[in-house]
Amino acid sequence: MRIKKFGLLFLILFVNSIFGQEKITLWPKGQMPNSKGLPLKTEEKDGRIVQIKEPELFSFLPPKEDRKPMAVIIIPGGGYYKLTYDLNGFQIAKWFNTLGISAFVLNYRLPISPDVKQREIAPLQDIQVAIKYLRKNAVQYGISPDQIGVIGTSAGGHLAASVSNITTDYTELKDDWTSISTIPNFAILVSPVIDLGEFAHIGSRNSLLGENASKEKIAEYSMQNRVTDRTPPTILFHAQNDKTVPVMNSLLYYQVMTKNKVKGALFIFPEGEHKIGITNKSELTDNWKKLCSDWLKTLFQNK
């Protein structure tokens, strides 16, 4: 009986070692910028991370024989005060793997953390270093450094749009890190927070900028104001009846994309609310996955 139990335990550990995800610590010890050095612990509540010690990147890799050069960093939402890392992170990563696309889920620092010195740039620093890390280590993961994109849902969409448009490198990394771009090669925005003014999700704005943010700061971090002709190709998905993040967020972003001749697409579904994801209430809304997959196939066709 003991031998059988030991055999079963070994099998479980063996399976977990094969299918378990690698957890990557992004900042070298003692070199995480914008930190007060407080001894925080990662805390979880109701399946959501509400405090994080330091950012982590979780890798989800398809089998080598099926792996494409493309990779995507998944940025969970949560209003910048929590992280829906499973629903809008791990589950989406598993879907990308079915397409042969390597996926990496980023659990980033929340701007409300007592450890950060400048709240609005902390999440941006973490996604920027994640992009740099994957480009520097692309060979290790069997991906192309020139085919790395981001996908963000809700507030994660705001962070994905931010790293697509803010060209200042906030990582403070030196030496051979400095020449590596922080701008992704493409972006997928799902029910994204874009505007922090008239059509803002108030919770996201207050968490990122504080409750007394100036008009100038609100305009600076409203991402429709940051789009240029250098913004990477972007596809957006939104529901017309989204009461949490108004559909005008995506409309404003796509309007400026069009003005600047940024390659991309916008799909607005009549229903779906703020719940577009891996499991959807309607077959119509569920089509976002096929539309996204088909759009990704149009990128890098000559590479």
Coordinates of all heavy atoms in Angstrom, one line a residue, residues 65-132:
E65 N 7.0 21.6 -30.9 CA 6.6 21.3 -32.3 C 5.5 22.1 -32.8 O 5.3 22.3 -34.0 CB 6.4 19.8 -32.5 CG 5.2 19.3 -31.6 CD 5.8 18.7 -30.3 OE1 6.8 19.1 -29.9 OE2 5.1 17.9 -29.7
D66 N 4.7 22.7 -31.9 CA 3.5 23.5 -32.3 C 3.8 25.0 -32.1 O 2.9 25.8 -32.4 CB 2.3 23.1 -31.5 CG 1.9 21.7 -31.7 OD1 2.1 21.2 -32.8 OD2 1.3 21.0 -30.8
R67 N 4.9 25.4 -31.5 CA 5.2 26.7 -31.1 C 5.5 27.7 -32.2 O 6.3 27.4 -33.1 CB 6.3 26.8 -30.1 CG 6.4 28.0 -29.3 CD 7.5 27.9 -28.2 NE 7.3 26.7 -27.4 CZ 8.1 26.3 -26.5 NH1 9.3 27.0 -26.3 NH2 7.9 25.2 -25.7
K68 N 4.8 28.8 -32.3 CA 5.0 29.8 -33.3 C 5.9 30.9 -32.7 O 6.2 30.9 -31.5 CB 3.6 30.4 -33.7 CG 2.6 29.5 -34.3 CD 1.3 30.1 -34.6 CE 0.3 29.2 -35.2 NZ -1.0 29.8 -35.4
P69 N 6.5 31.7 -33.6 CA 7.4 32.7 -33.1 C 6.7 33.8 -32.2 O 7.4 34.5 -31.5 CB 7.9 33.4 -34.4 CG 7.6 32.4 -35.5 CD 6.4 31.7 -35.1
M70 N 5.4 33.9 -32.4 CA 4.6 34.9 -31.7 C 4.5 34.6 -30.2 O 4.3 33.5 -29.8 CB 3.2 35.1 -32.3 CG 2.4 36.2 -31.8 SD 0.8 36.3 -32.6 CE 1.3 36.8 -34.2
A71 N 4.5 35.7 -29.4 CA 4.3 35.6 -27.9 C 3.4 36.7 -27.5 O 3.4 37.8 -28.1 CB 5.6 35.5 -27.2
V72 N 2.7 36.6 -26.4 CA 1.9 37.6 -25.9 C 2.0 37.7 -24.3 O 2.1 36.6 -23.7 CB 0.4 37.4 -26.3 CG1 -0.1 36.1 -25.7 CG2 -0.5 38.6 -25.9
I73 N 2.1 38.9 -23.8 CA 2.1 39.1 -22.4 C 0.7 39.5 -22.0 O 0.1 40.5 -22.5 CB 3.1 40.2 -22.0 CG1 4.5 39.9 -22.4 CG2 3.0 40.4 -20.4 CD1 5.5 41.0 -22.1
I74 N 0.1 38.8 -21.1 CA -1.3 39.0 -20.6 C -1.3 39.8 -19.4 O -0.6 39.5 -18.4 CB -2.0 37.6 -20.4 CG1 -2.0 36.8 -21.6 CG2 -3.4 37.9 -19.9 CD1 -2.3 35.3 -21.4
I75 N -2.0 40.9 -19.4 CA -2.1 41.9 -18.3 C -3.5 41.8 -17.7 O -4.4 42.3 -18.3 CB -1.8 43.3 -18.8 CG1 -0.5 43.4 -19.6 CG2 -1.7 44.3 -17.7 CD1 -0.2 44.7 -20.3
P76 N -3.6 41.2 -16.5 CA -4.9 41.1 -15.9 C -5.5 42.5 -15.5 O -4.8 43.4 -15.3 CB -4.7 40.2 -14.7 CG -3.3 39.6 -14.9 CD -2.6 40.6 -15.8
G77 N -6.8 42.5 -15.5 CA -7.5 43.7 -15.0 C -7.8 43.7 -13.5 O -7.2 42.8 -12.8
G78 N -8.6 44.6 -13.1 CA -9.0 44.6 -11.6 C -9.0 46.0 -11.1 O -8.9 46.3 -9.9
G79 N -9.1 47.0 -12.0 CA -9.3 48.4 -11.5 C -8.1 49.0 -10.9 O -8.2 50.0 -10.2
Y80 N -6.9 48.4 -11.1 CA -5.7 48.9 -10.6 C -5.6 48.8 -9.0 O -4.8 49.4 -8.4 CB -5.4 50.4 -11.0 CG -4.7 50.5 -12.3 CD1 -5.3 51.4 -13.3 CD2 -3.6 49.8 -12.7 CE1 -4.7 51.6 -14.5 CE2 -3.0 50.0 -14.0 CZ -3.6 50.9 -14.9 OH -3.0 51.0 -16.1
Y81 N -6.6 48.0 -8.4 CA -6.6 47.8 -7.0 C -6.6 46.3 -6.7 O -6.5 45.9 -5.5 CB -7.7 48.6 -6.3 CG -9.1 48.2 -6.7 CD1 -9.7 47.1 -6.0 CD2 -9.7 48.9 -7.7 CE1 -11.0 46.8 -6.4 CE2 -11.0 48.5 -8.0 CZ -11.7 47.5 -7.4 OH -13.0 47.2 -7.8
K82 N -6.7 45.5 -7.7 CA -6.7 44.0 -7.5 C -6.3 43.4 -8.9 O -6.3 44.1 -9.9 CB -8.0 43.4 -7.1 CG -9.1 43.7 -8.0 CD -10.5 43.2 -7.4 CE -11.6 43.5 -8.4 NZ -12.9 43.0 -7.9
L83 N -5.9 42.1 -8.9 CA -5.5 41.5 -10.1 C -6.3 40.2 -10.3 O -6.3 39.3 -9.5 CB -4.0 41.1 -10.1 CG -3.0 42.3 -10.0 CD1 -1.6 41.7 -9.8 CD2 -3.1 43.1 -11.3
T84 N -7.1 40.1 -11.4 CA -7.9 39.0 -11.7 C -7.0 38.0 -12.5 O -7.2 37.7 -13.7 CB -9.1 39.3 -12.6 OG1 -8.7 40.1 -13.7 CG2 -10.1 40.2 -11.8
Y85 N -6.0 37.5 -11.8 CA -4.9 36.8 -12.5 C -5.3 35.5 -13.1 O -4.7 35.0 -14.1 CB -3.7 36.6 -11.5 CG -4.0 35.6 -10.4 CD1 -3.7 34.3 -10.6 CD2 -4.7 36.0 -9.3 CE1 -3.9 33.4 -9.6 CE2 -4.9 35.1 -8.3 CZ -4.6 33.8 -8.4 OH -4.9 32.9 -7.4
D86 N -6.3 34.8 -12.6 CA -6.8 33.5 -13.1 C -7.7 33.7 -14.3 O -7.5 33.4 -15.4 CB -7.4 32.7 -12.0 CG -7.7 31.3 -12.5 OD1 -7.3 30.9 -13.6 OD2 -8.4 30.5 -11.7
L87 N -8.9 34.3 -14.0 CA -9.9 34.5 -15.0 C -9.4 35.3 -16.2 O -9.6 34.9 -17.4 CB -11.1 35.3 -14.4 CG -12.3 35.5 -15.3 CD1 -12.9 34.2 -15.7 CD2 -13.3 36.4 -14.6
N88 N -8.7 36.4 -16.0 CA -8.2 37.2 -17.1 C -6.7 37.1 -17.3 O -6.1 38.0 -17.8 CB -8.6 38.7 -16.8 CG -10.1 39.0 -16.9 OD1 -10.7 38.4 -17.8 ND2 -10.6 39.8 -16.0
G89 N -6.2 36.0 -16.8 CA -4.7 35.8 -16.9 C -4.5 34.3 -17.4 O -4.3 34.1 -18.5
F90 N -4.4 33.4 -16.4 CA -4.1 32.0 -16.7 C -5.0 31.4 -17.7 O -4.6 30.6 -18.6 CB -4.1 31.2 -15.4 CG -3.0 31.6 -14.4 CD1 -3.0 31.0 -13.1 CD2 -2.1 32.5 -14.7 CE1 -2.0 31.4 -12.2 CE2 -1.1 32.9 -13.8 CZ -1.1 32.3 -12.5
Q91 N -6.3 31.7 -17.6 CA -7.3 31.0 -18.5 C -7.1 31.5 -20.0 O -7.2 30.8 -20.9 CB -8.7 31.3 -18.1 CG -9.0 30.8 -16.7 CD -8.7 29.3 -16.5 OE1 -9.0 28.5 -17.4 NE2 -8.0 29.0 -15.4
I92 N -6.8 32.8 -20.1 CA -6.5 33.4 -21.5 C -5.2 32.8 -22.0 O -5.1 32.5 -23.2 CB -6.5 34.9 -21.4 CG1 -7.9 35.4 -21.1 CG2 -5.9 35.5 -22.7 CD1 -7.9 37.0 -21.0
A93 N -4.2 32.6 -21.1 CA -2.9 32.0 -21.5 C -3.1 30.6 -22.1 O -2.5 30.3 -23.1 CB -2.0 32.0 -20.3
K94 N -3.9 29.8 -21.5 CA -4.2 28.5 -21.9 C -4.8 28.5 -23.3 O -4.5 27.6 -24.2 CB -5.0 27.7 -20.9 CG -4.3 27.5 -19.6 CD -5.3 26.9 -18.6 CE -4.6 26.7 -17.2 NZ -5.6 26.2 -16.2
W95 N -5.7 29.5 -23.6 CA -6.3 29.6 -24.9 C -5.3 29.9 -25.9 O -5.3 29.4 -27.0 CB -7.4 30.6 -24.9 CG -8.0 30.9 -26.2 CD1 -8.7 30.1 -27.0 CD2 -7.8 32.1 -27.0 NE1 -9.0 30.7 -28.2 CE2 -8.4 31.9 -28.2 CE3 -7.1 33.3 -26.7 CZ2 -8.4 32.9 -29.2 CZ3 -7.1 34.3 -27.7 CH2 -7.8 34.1 -28.9
F96 N -4.4 30.9 -25.6 CA -3.4 31.2 -26.6 C -2.5 30.0 -26.9 O -2.1 29.9 -28.1 CB -2.5 32.4 -26.0 CG -3.0 33.7 -26.4 CD1 -3.6 34.6 -25.4 CD2 -3.0 34.2 -27.7 CE1 -4.1 35.8 -25.7 CE2 -3.5 35.5 -28.0 CZ -4.0 36.3 -27.0
N97 N -2.2 29.2 -25.9 CA -1.4 28.0 -26.2 C -2.1 27.1 -27.2 O -1.4 26.4 -28.0 CB -1.2 27.2 -24.9 CG -0.1 27.8 -24.0 OD1 0.1 27.4 -22.9 ND2 0.5 28.9 -24.5
T98 N -3.4 27.0 -27.3 CA -4.1 26.2 -28.3 C -3.9 26.7 -29.7 O -4.0 26.0 -30.7 CB -5.6 26.1 -28.0 OG1 -6.2 27.4 -28.2 CG2 -5.9 25.6 -26.6
L99 N -3.4 28.0 -29.8 CA -3.1 28.6 -31.1 C -1.6 28.5 -31.4 O -1.2 28.9 -32.5 CB -3.5 30.1 -31.1 CG -4.9 30.5 -30.7 CD1 -5.1 32.0 -30.7 CD2 -6.0 29.8 -31.6
G100 N -0.9 27.9 -30.6 CA 0.5 27.7 -30.8 C 1.3 29.0 -30.3 O 2.5 29.1 -30.7
I101 N 0.6 29.9 -29.6 CA 1.3 31.1 -29.2 C 1.7 31.0 -27.7 O 0.9 30.7 -26.9 CB 0.3 32.3 -29.4 CG1 -0.1 32.4 -30.9 CG2 0.8 33.6 -28.8 CD1 -1.2 33.5 -31.1
S102 N 2.9 31.4 -27.5 CA 3.5 31.4 -26.1 C 2.8 32.6 -25.3 O 2.7 33.7 -25.9 CB 5.0 31.5 -26.1 OG 5.6 30.4 -26.8
A103 N 2.4 32.3 -24.1 CA 1.8 33.3 -23.3 C 2.5 33.5 -22.0 O 2.9 32.5 -21.4 CB 0.3 33.0 -23.1
F104 N 2.5 34.7 -21.5 CA 3.1 35.1 -20.2 C 2.2 36.0 -19.4 O 1.8 37.0 -19.9 CB 4.5 35.7 -20.5 CG 5.5 34.9 -21.2 CD1 5.4 34.8 -22.6 CD2 6.4 34.2 -20.6 CE1 6.3 34.1 -23.4 CE2 7.3 33.4 -21.3 CZ 7.3 33.3 -22.7
V105 N 1.8 35.5 -18.3 CA 0.9 36.3 -17.4 C 1.7 37.2 -16.5 O 2.5 36.7 -15.7 CB -0.1 35.4 -16.7 CG1 -1.0 36.3 -15.8 CG2 -0.9 34.6 -17.6
L106 N 1.4 38.5 -16.5 CA 2.2 39.4 -15.7 C 1.3 39.8 -14.5 O 0.2 40.4 -14.6 CB 2.6 40.7 -16.5 CG 3.2 41.8 -15.6 CD1 4.6 41.4 -15.1 CD2 3.3 43.1 -16.4
N107 N 1.8 39.5 -13.3 CA 1.2 40.1 -12.1 C 2.0 41.3 -11.7 O 3.2 41.1 -11.2 CB 1.1 39.0 -11.0 CG 0.0 38.0 -11.2 OD1 -0.9 38.3 -11.9 ND2 0.1 36.9 -10.5
Y108 N 1.5 42.4 -11.9 CA 2.3 43.7 -11.7 C 1.9 44.4 -10.4 O 0.9 44.1 -9.7 CB 2.0 44.6 -12.9 CG 0.5 44.9 -13.1 CD1 -0.2 45.9 -12.6 CD2 -0.3 44.0 -14.0 CE1 -1.6 46.1 -12.8 CE2 -1.6 44.2 -14.2 CZ -2.3 45.3 -13.6 OH -3.6 45.4 -13.8
R109 N 2.8 45.3 -10.0 CA 2.6 46.0 -8.8 C 1.3 46.9 -8.9 O 1.2 47.6 -10.0 CB 3.8 46.9 -8.5 CG 5.0 46.1 -7.9 CD 6.2 47.0 -7.7 NE 6.7 47.5 -9.0 CZ 7.6 48.5 -9.1 NH1 8.1 49.1 -8.0 NH2 8.1 48.8 -10.3
L110 N 0.6 47.0 -7.9 CA -0.6 47.9 -7.9 C -0.2 49.3 -7.5 O 0.6 49.4 -6.6 CB -1.7 47.3 -7.0 CG -2.2 45.9 -7.4 CD1 -3.1 45.3 -6.3 CD2 -3.1 46.0 -8.7
P111 N -0.8 50.3 -8.1 CA -0.4 51.7 -7.8 C -0.8 52.1 -6.4 O -0.3 53.0 -5.8 CB -1.1 52.5 -8.8 CG -2.2 51.6 -9.4 CD -1.7 50.2 -9.3
I112 N -1.7 51.3 -5.8 CA -2.2 51.6 -4.4 C -1.2 51.0 -3.4 O -1.4 51.2 -2.2 CB -3.6 51.2 -4.1 CG1 -3.7 49.6 -4.3 CG2 -4.6 51.9 -5.1 CD1 -5.0 49.0 -3.9
S113 N -0.2 50.3 -3.8 CA 0.7 49.7 -2.9 C 1.4 50.7 -2.0 O 1.9 51.7 -2.5 CB 1.7 48.8 -3.6 OG 2.8 48.4 -2.8
P114 N 1.5 50.4 -0.7 CA 2.2 51.4 0.2 C 3.7 51.4 -0.1 O 4.4 52.3 0.4 CB 2.0 50.8 1.6 CG 1.7 49.4 1.4 CD 1.0 49.3 0.0
D115 N 4.2 50.5 -0.9 CA 5.7 50.4 -1.2 C 6.1 51.3 -2.3 O 7.3 51.7 -2.4 CB 6.1 49.0 -1.5 CG 7.6 48.8 -1.8 OD1 8.3 49.1 -0.8 OD2 8.0 48.4 -2.9
V116 N 5.2 51.7 -3.2 CA 5.6 52.5 -4.4 C 5.8 54.0 -4.1 O 5.0 54.5 -3.3 CB 4.7 52.3 -5.6 CG1 4.6 50.8 -6.0 CG2 3.3 52.8 -5.3
K117 N 6.8 54.6 -4.7 CA 7.0 56.0 -4.5 C 6.1 56.9 -5.4 O 5.6 57.9 -5.0 CB 8.5 56.3 -4.7 CG 9.4 55.6 -3.7 CD 10.9 55.9 -4.1 CE 11.9 55.2 -3.2 NZ 13.3 55.5 -3.6
Q118 N 6.1 56.5 -6.7 CA 5.3 57.2 -7.7 C 4.3 56.3 -8.2 O 4.6 55.4 -9.1 CB 6.2 57.8 -8.8 CG 5.5 58.7 -9.7 CD 6.4 59.3 -10.8 OE1 7.6 59.3 -10.6 NE2 5.8 59.9 -11.8
R119 N 3.0 56.4 -7.8 CA 2.0 55.3 -8.1 C 1.8 55.1 -9.5 O 1.6 53.9 -10.0 CB 0.7 55.7 -7.3 CG 0.1 57.0 -7.8 CD -1.0 57.4 -6.8 NE -2.0 56.4 -6.6 CZ -2.8 56.5 -5.5 NH1 -2.7 57.4 -4.6 NH2 -3.8 55.6 -5.3
E120 N 1.7 56.1 -10.3 CA 1.2 55.9 -11.7 C 2.2 55.2 -12.6 O 1.7 54.7 -13.7 CB 0.7 57.3 -12.3 CG 1.9 58.3 -12.6 CD 2.1 59.2 -11.4 OE1 1.7 58.9 -10.3 OE2 2.8 60.2 -11.6
I121 N 3.4 55.2 -12.3 CA 4.4 54.6 -13.2 C 4.8 53.1 -12.7 O 5.4 52.4 -13.5 CB 5.7 55.4 -13.4 CG1 6.5 55.5 -12.1 CG2 5.4 56.8 -14.0 CD1 7.9 56.1 -12.3
A122 N 4.4 52.7 -11.6 CA 4.7 51.4 -11.1 C 4.3 50.2 -12.0 O 5.1 49.4 -12.4 CB 4.2 51.2 -9.6
P123 N 3.0 50.2 -12.4 CA 2.6 49.1 -13.3 C 3.3 49.2 -14.6 O 3.6 48.2 -15.2 CB 1.1 49.3 -13.4 CG 0.7 50.1 -12.2 CD 1.8 51.0 -12.0
L124 N 3.5 50.4 -15.1 CA 4.2 50.6 -16.4 C 5.6 50.1 -16.3 O 6.1 49.5 -17.3 CB 4.1 52.1 -16.8 CG 4.8 52.5 -18.1 CD1 4.1 51.8 -19.3 CD2 4.7 54.0 -18.3
Q125 N 6.3 50.4 -15.3 CA 7.7 49.9 -15.1 C 7.7 48.3 -15.2 O 8.6 47.8 -15.8 CB 8.3 50.3 -13.8 CG 8.6 51.8 -13.7 CD 8.9 52.2 -12.3 OE1 8.3 51.9 -11.3 NE2 10.0 53.0 -12.2
D126 N 6.7 47.7 -14.6 CA 6.7 46.2 -14.6 C 6.4 45.6 -16.0 O 7.0 44.6 -16.4 CB 5.7 45.7 -13.6 CG 6.1 46.1 -12.2 OD1 7.3 46.5 -11.9 OD2 5.2 46.1 -11.3
I127 N 5.5 46.2 -16.7 CA 5.2 45.7 -18.1 C 6.4 46.0 -19.0 O 6.8 45.2 -19.9 CB 3.9 46.2 -18.7 CG1 3.6 45.6 -20.1 CG2 3.8 47.7 -18.7 CD1 3.6 44.1 -20.1
Q128 N 7.0 47.1 -18.8 CA 8.2 47.5 -19.6 C 9.3 46.5 -19.4 O 10.0 46.0 -20.4 CB 8.7 48.9 -19.3 CG 7.8 50.0 -19.9 CD 8.3 51.4 -19.7 OE1 9.1 51.6 -18.8 NE2 8.0 52.3 -20.5
V129 N 9.6 46.1 -18.1 CA 10.7 45.2 -17.9 C 10.3 43.8 -18.4 O 11.2 43.0 -18.8 CB 11.1 45.2 -16.4 CG1 10.0 44.5 -15.5 CG2 12.4 44.5 -16.2
A130 N 9.0 43.5 -18.4 CA 8.6 42.2 -18.9 C 8.9 42.0 -20.4 O 9.4 41.0 -20.9 CB 7.1 41.9 -18.6
I131 N 8.6 43.1 -21.1 CA 8.8 43.1 -22.6 C 10.3 43.0 -22.8 O 10.8 42.2 -23.7 CB 8.2 44.4 -23.2 CG1 6.7 44.3 -23.2 CG2 8.7 44.5 -24.7 CD1 6.0 45.6 -23.6
K132 N 11.1 43.8 -22.1 CA 12.6 43.7 -22.3 C 13.1 42.3 -22.0 O 14.0 41.8 -22.7 CB 13.3 44.8 -21.3 CG 13.3 46.2 -21.8 CD 13.9 47.1 -20.8 CE 14.1 48.5 -21.3 NZ 15.3 48.7 -22.1

